[in-house]
Amino acid sequence: MTARDAALPRHDWTLAEVEALFDLPFMELVFQAASVHRRWFDPNEVQLSQLLSVKTGGCAENCGYCSQSASFDTGLKATKLMEPDAVIAEAKRAREGGAQRFCMGAAWREVKDRDLPKLEAMISGVKALGMETCATLGMCTPDQAKALKAAGLDYYNHNLDTGPEYYAEVVTTRTYQDRLDTLSAVREAGMSTCCGGIVGMGEKRRDRAGLLHSLATLPAHPDSLPVNALVPIANTPLGAKAKREGEIDPIEFVRTVAVARLVCPKAMVRLSAGREGMSRELQALCFLAGANSIFVGGKLLTTPLPEMDEDSRLFADLGLRPMGAKAEAAA
Ligand code: SAM
Ligand code: DTB
Ligand code: SF4
């Protein structure tokens, strides 16, 4: 197969092929991923997104990693859905800080119709600022997805979280199929999908390959693919497991990013949760291996991120530009 062929998106990956990518010598894997990355993207550009928790805590799902599940006593204070004006004001600040995309997250099992008017108002307000809009609101129906799209929602984040075989160790209140159904509603409504998972939850390499295999064989590849490193939260089952068994090996994390780039070559691969604990060198390796999107602004939903000035220094030292910055400078 020529290098050119290897960069073309494919939907017929087998699990064995994805596992074989993980098994490549590290230098070979990162070289292949970096080469594919350059076919579709400027390797010196990284997209900046900012998150806001518009409704925090008290969630009915039992995702074993999450600070916001009502099933675990994590000490997080639950809040009601924010008012649209307050959300729009936060988005404006994020735009001033250089963020191109604004992502609104709610600790919900699913969207409720009664919340749609507020959601629509915040989405259309953020969109009117000229930002890309993204939301992560749990499960949604086809009609709800259409309403969110009509309000100006560009992306819907809904993660598969892990491979199908490890899934039951992570959450029991919703099924893999539930997640696939929401993704299908999102696609049918014409929104872009943001879908990825978490590594470092005690899963095996086979499960990481299973996650990426599931993503690469969806009817359409995710437009954004977040690779989260577990942020261990005290009093959650998977946080406790990670404390006992240790975090994911950083080299294995880079391998996961590289395989994500290879199997979904045109996706924005996002270095997501866990960046706070990563060295500058590890982040640089992830960018080399094809990550081209990060969350910025000091906070994810409930856990910390590097401060803006640390990220600006890293970008300056690596010669990276925030995506969209060139166009703005020229305007
Ligand atoms: N409630 C919605 C849902 O789960 O669909 C949206 C919010 S949820 C916090 C979004 C994603 O964040 C989860 O699917 C999970 O992949 C990721 N996430 C949550 N807590 C995390 C943690 N402690 N470490 C790493 N990733 C985490
Ligand atoms: C995703 O995959 N990662 C982001 C975004 N989607 C919403 C969220 C990570 C949350 C990390 C834990 C927290 O801050 O609560
Ligand atoms: Fe709820 Fe989302 Fe956390 Fe799961 S990940 S407990 S659905 S907020």
Side-chain angles (χ1 to χ4, degrees):
M1 194 187 278
T2 65
R4 191 166 182 283
D5 292 335
L8 294 176
R10 285 175 48 195
H11 295 267
D12 59 351
W13 289 96
T14 64
L15 179 59
E17 281 178 311
V18 180
E19 289 187 281
L21 291 177
F22 269 94
D23 291 341
L24 283 172
F26 183 75
M27 301 307 161
E28 179 60 31
L29 173 61
V30 172
F31 178 75
Q32 283 191 20
S35 307
V36 166
H37 187 192
R38 277 157 193 267
R39 247 311 283 294
W40 301 109
F41 296 101
D42 178 339
N44 300 310
E45 272 193 358
V46 173
Q47 184 195 44
L48 308 186
S49 302
Q50 195 150 331
L51 269 168
L52 177 67
S53 181
V54 299
K55 192 267 162 199
T56 305
C59 183
E61 301 275 16
N62 68 355
C63 309
Y65 48 77
C66 189
S67 62
Q68 308 202 67
S69 167
S71 306
F72 320 121
D73 183 13
T74 64
L76 191 73
K77 192 171 161 287
T79 65
K80 287 204 295 220
L81 181 60
M82 284 174 71
E83 291 304 322
D85 285 351
V87 174
I88 296 161
E90 289 284 344
K92 216 180 246 173
R93 267 195 286 280
R95 188 187 60 178
E96 281 154 16
Q100 192 191 31
R101 189 184 293 183
F102 192 71
C103 180
M104 294 153 269
W108 282 330
R109 171 175 161 75
E110 69 225 325
V111 176
K112 299 262 173 24
D113 284 346
R114 62 165 186 263
D115 291 317
L116 275 177
K118 261 195 189 177
L119 292 169
E120 287 162 350
M122 59 183 79
I123 290 163
S124 59
V126 174
K127 182 79 180 165
L129 298 174
M131 301 181 87
E132 280 186 338
T133 53
C134 178
T136 180
L137 312 167
M139 295 188 277
C140 72
T141 65
D143 283 345
Q144 290 169 337
K146 281 184 204 130
L148 295 169
K149 162 79 181 167
L153 193 60
D154 298 313
Y155 285 81
Y156 198 92
N157 166 248
H158 199 67
N159 290 339
L160 293 181
D161 275 354
T162 191
E165 286 175 19
Y166 196 66
Y167 185 82
E169 305 296 318
V170 175
V171 53
T172 57
T173 50
R174 69 179 165 198
T175 64
Y176 220 65
Q177 189 58 47
D178 288 334
R179 292 185 187 245
L180 294 170
D181 291 347
T182 292
L183 288 168
S184 148
V186 168
R187 272 194 311 270
E188 294 295 307
M191 278 187 280
S192 299
T193 53
C194 172
C195 184
I198 311 180
V199 299
M201 298 191 293
E203 77 287 345
K204 301 267 186 298
R205 177 179 279 185
R206 184 179 168 77
D207 302 307
R208 292 186 279 278
L211 166 69
L212 294 177
H213 174 253
S214 297
L215 295 172
T217 53
L218 285 169
H221 286 173
D223 301 284
S224 285
L225 196 169
V227 183
N228 296 281
L230 178 73
V231 180
I233 308 285
N235 289 337
T236 61
L238 294 168
K241 187 175 168 74
K243 280 273 181 269
R244 282 194 310 274
E245 296 175 10
E247 289 174 8
I248 185 158
D249 170 40
I251 299 292
E252 182 68 11
F253 185 82
V254 179
R255 280 186 189 275
T256 310
V257 169
V259 177
R261 168 55 65 218
L262 287 171
V263 298
C264 293
K266 293 173 83 172
M268 305 292 301
V269 174
R270 181 172 304 147
L271 188 51
S272 300
R275 203 166 61 79
E276 157 89 340
M278 291 179 194
S279 70
R280 287 156 49 89
E281 295 82 353
L282 172 55
Q283 292 182 60
L285 261 182
C286 290
F287 294 134
L288 181 64
N292 62 348
S293 176
I294 57 171
F295 287 115
V296 293
K299 195 175 178 197
L300 284 159
L301 291 171
T302 68
T303 62
L305 269 177
E307 290 300 332
M308 270 298 208
D309 57 347
E310 260 177 77
D311 284 336
S312 303
R313 246 192 336 269
L314 179 63
F315 272 46
D317 291 347
L318 298 178
L320 291 175
R321 289 186 306 276
M323 214 167 264
K326 217 172 22 185
E328 274 162 29

